[in-house]
Structures are given as structure tokens and as C-alpha cells.
Amino acid sequence: MTEAPTSPLDGNAVALNHWRTLLARTTSPSKRLDLILSDPLAPQLVPALPVEDFYYLIKGIGLDDSVELLEMAAPEQIRGCLDFELWDRDKLSPRRVTRWMQLLCELDGEHLDAAIEALDVELVALLVSQNARVYDRSLGDEIVDESPYLRYETPDTFFVIEFTGGDNELTEALLRLIDRLYQADQSLGRKVIMDAKWGLRDELEEDSYRWRNGRMADLGFVEYYEAVEVYRYLDPEELRRGLSSAPTGKMAANDEVTLPAPFARPLAEESFLGNVLASIEDQNIVESITAHMVALFNRVLTADRVDPSDMEAVQEAAARARDLLSTGLEYLAQRDESSAGLVLLRTSLTNIFRAGISLAIDQARRARKLRDGGSDDPNLDPLLQPRPQYPRGLDEPAVAGVRPFRRLADVERVAAYLDTIIAS
């Protein structure tokens, strides 16, 4: 409806980054909430959080305990939460819509007005059209005196809204939302109700979804067929040859990498990538790399068809993305952590990621030739999956099952194993 104001933090980026890092490292939801609410700077820091950080913070703490945080939020943060949460593919999720409308209506008057400000007109109109019948008195619509449904007369007396959706909780939330909308901006309230009455439901849904997708694309959540390009083969050796003339420069130690919590936790685990990121001192470089990393991980979520509201699935996908990115970086830097930072500066993270998956694809192609040649070795099966997996039968000790490729040594172990099959 209107754009949010600039961040109230007024450039205090150091404090914000330190705060985000503490939140990412705090695994207990209750401790994370206590950390926020006990900080006198929270009213300034919370609205300055990036949209994704805020959303994953809310999800990690739990919606039931997040009202105080939502009352500190900037409108674009609330809009971002709804973008992440309300949609199941290209359709609204009734269960999630009901929960979030209830949650927003728990906010006090001023903060509820701010939340309403964050909503797209088309989205509110769509929700009304899906759950109510609108009578326009100015057009002489006949209103039956008795009805089993709850009705609401708009303050301008132009419309009567009859809630026919059957979900009492959603009905109560929508009624309060519309009432507050009229109180905040009567002309905007009329537009929403007119759109709900006369707009085609499919068009309202399409427009709402388009606005949502545009904002999600800004965060790296591009359309599926664009996102799967991150898995397209890229010759790792050719890419490494192109990095032979590294630029001059020096990077020193840094111990803070700021990412949304579900992405930061996998990076806290031991990996080549994590070690390299911890070696970079220049905060501008760190911020640039992590911003690109968030966009890359979001593309992976889309390509893997992971629902961003499923925190467990998000963390699993982030860990897989970290492993392939780390494997590609380890290969391109030839295991030299001191030069890997320069690789990060000279190469897009997407190409480094593609190098990681392409190393696995190279082994999958060899496995396919062996299978076509008659080999029935069960350790070939994981390599022949649409996204090659590492056969855990090659681990020490060997166990059943599969896992993602995690490091360059995994690729080399598979390559050596395939060599033994070829030689036998």
C-alpha cells in the first residue's frame, strides 16, 4: 500500500551485525526472545533486520510468542512474512492465512494499522472475495433480512459484507481487519471492497501472486525454471583455468559471518567454506559475499522445491548448498584456504556452486557408463539419482544409505572407487 520508511537505525550497522550474529548463534528460541526483549535497542534494531532474518526469527521463536516482535516490525518485514508464509506454490494456504490474520489482529491499534499498511490491496480483496459476499447499497443490491451468516456494515454504509466462508476464526480476523482498514483509510477500504465485489477472483489471485513473486525474486527466489540453472553443468577444470591470474590483495581474520539463522547454522559446522569465510576481515567483503550467498541459497530452495516456511527443510537445503559450494571452492582454490578468498572475490557464487555439483556429475557420468556396460555394483545407484548422491558404502566405516557430497575428498574417493571397477 505504501512503502516503508528508511531504517530507524541510521547507519549503526556494526551494532546490527553484532546483534544478528548473536541471534544466529543462539539456538534456544526462548533465549533468543529474551535476548531481544531485554535489549533496550530492540525497538530500533528489530525493524532494521533484513526481511529474511526477521521472518526466520519469527519462525524460530514461534508465531504464538511473536506478537511483541511484530509490534516492533517495519511494514515491509510483515509483508515479507506474509510473502513467505501464505502461499503454497501459486495458491493461498487457508490454514496459514487464518493463523496470520489472527496473529495480526492480536496487535494493538497502532501496530495493527502498520500491519494493514503492509498488505497488498489485491491480497485483502482476494481474501474477502473468497470468504464473503458483498452487497452494494448504492446499486440497490437486495439484502435478505435473515441470514445464517455474520454480516458487517461498512462505516460509510455503502456496503454490507456477508461472511460465507464457514471459518469462524478467519471470519472474525477479516472482520476486524476490514474495520481497521476503514478507520485508517476509508477510500482505501472502499477500493478493497469494490475489488472484492467486482474483481475476478482468478485475476486477484494472479495479481497478488505476481506482486509476491516480484518481492521474492528480489531475495533470490526466482521462478523454478530459472532457479534450476544453479544445477546446470559447468566444466570445473575450465573454470579453474580461468582463475589462474588472481588479483593481488590480502584478507585477515574475521569471526562473524552474518546470515539468516537457518543459513548461518550450517556454516557454523566445520567446512572448507566456513574456514575461508572466517579468515576474511574486511566487513564490506563479508557483507557482499553473504548477501550473494543468501540469494544463492534461496535459488537452491526454489530449485529443490523447498517450502520456505518449513524450517527443517530449509536448514537441510542450506546444508546441501553449503556442501556443494564448499566443494566447488575447495577444488577451484586447490585446497588453499589463503587463496580461496580471492576465488570468492573473482567468481560468482553460482558458478562456484555449479562447479561443486559438476564435480559430482562427472562421477555420475562415469557411473552411468559402467552401469550401461553391465556393472550391477550397488554403490553406483546413489550416483545415478537426478542429483548425484554420495554412496555411504564408501565411508569408513561403511554404512548403508546415501548423503550429499560434502567435500572434495568425497569426489576423489568416488573417483578412485570407480577406477577400481574399471580396472577389474
Side-chain angles (χ1 to χ4, degrees), residues 229-241:
E229 286 292 298
V230 298
Y231 285 108
R232 183 162 56 88
Y233 183 82
L234 176 67
D235 189 330
E237 185 177 353
E238 183 177 333
L239 181 60
R240 188 164 69 180
R241 284 198 300 267

Side-chain angles (χ1 to χ4, degrees), residues 138-357:
S138 67
L139 298 179
D141 285 352
E142 183 179 354
I143 306 173
V144 178
D145 289 337
E146 295 184 4
S147 171
Y149 302 112
L150 179 66
R151 286 175 173 174
Y152 170 80
E153 182 177 347
T154 59
D156 56 14
T157 71
F158 288 175
F159 305 102
V160 172
I161 303 171
E162 187 174 66
F163 292 94
T164 59
D167 185 328
N168 292 335
E169 293 178 336
L170 180 57
T171 291
E172 292 176 5
L174 281 177
L175 190 153
R176 186 177 177 194
L177 199 67
I178 295 167
D179 187 56
R180 291 296 305 185
L181 179 59
Y182 258 86
Q183 292 181 41
D185 188 336
Q186 192 168 99
S187 63
L188 188 56
R190 288 173 184 162
K191 175 173 172 49
V192 167
I193 301 307
M194 290 293 289
D195 284 352
K197 179 174 178 60
W198 299 109
L200 295 176
R201 191 173 298 177
D202 287 346
E203 290 184 0
L204 288 172
E205 188 168 50
E206 182 180 334
D207 288 344
S208 298
Y209 189 60
R210 185 175 68 251
W211 289 120
R212 178 259 190 184
N213 279 357
R215 291 188 293 265
M216 295 294 282
D218 290 339
L219 299 175
F221 289 92
V222 296
E223 289 294 327
Y224 172 77
Y225 291 106
E226 181 179 350
V228 293
E229 286 292 298
V230 298
Y231 285 108
R232 183 162 56 88
Y233 183 82
L234 176 67
D235 189 330
E237 185 177 353
E238 183 177 333
L239 181 60
R240 188 164 69 180
R241 284 198 300 267
L243 295 172
S244 57
S245 56
T248 58
K250 183 179 180 181
M251 298 180 182
N254 169 73
D255 63 0
E256 292 190 356
V257 176
T258 306
L259 288 167
F263 298 163
R265 286 172 200 150
L267 282 178
E269 300 170 3
E270 177 66 24
S271 70
F272 184 83
L273 173 65
N275 293 341
V276 173
L277 289 175
S279 74
I280 303 175
E281 184 178 61
D282 189 317
Q283 190 60 32
N284 291 328
I285 294 175
V286 172
E287 289 177 1
S288 176
I289 291 173
T290 53
H292 284 87
M293 194 177 301
V294 169
L296 170 65
F297 285 7
N298 287 342
R299 284 177 179 253
V300 171
L301 293 182
T302 302
D304 290 354
R305 296 194 183 278
V306 173
D307 184 344
S309 70
D310 185 339
M311 292 287 283
E312 183 176 350
V314 167
Q315 290 191 55
E316 290 176 357
R320 291 194 302 271
R322 170 209 63 199
D323 290 338
L324 289 173
L325 185 61
S326 185
T327 299
L329 180 62
E330 190 176 2
Y331 174 83
L332 295 174
Q334 300 182 70
R335 288 195 168 89
D336 183 2
E337 291 182 4
S338 63
S339 63
L342 298 176
V343 174
L344 287 172
L345 289 178
R346 300 196 66 229
T347 315
S348 75
L349 295 190
T350 297
N351 281 348
I352 297 174
F353 177 89
R354 289 174 60 196
I357 186 63

Side-chain angles (χ1 to χ4, degrees), residues 363 366-367 369-370 375 415-424:
Q363 303 312 313
R366 298 179 68 203
K369 289 181 179 179
L370 288 169
S375 175
Y417 182 78
L418 297 180
D419 286 342
T420 62
I421 297 177
I422 293 171
S424 62

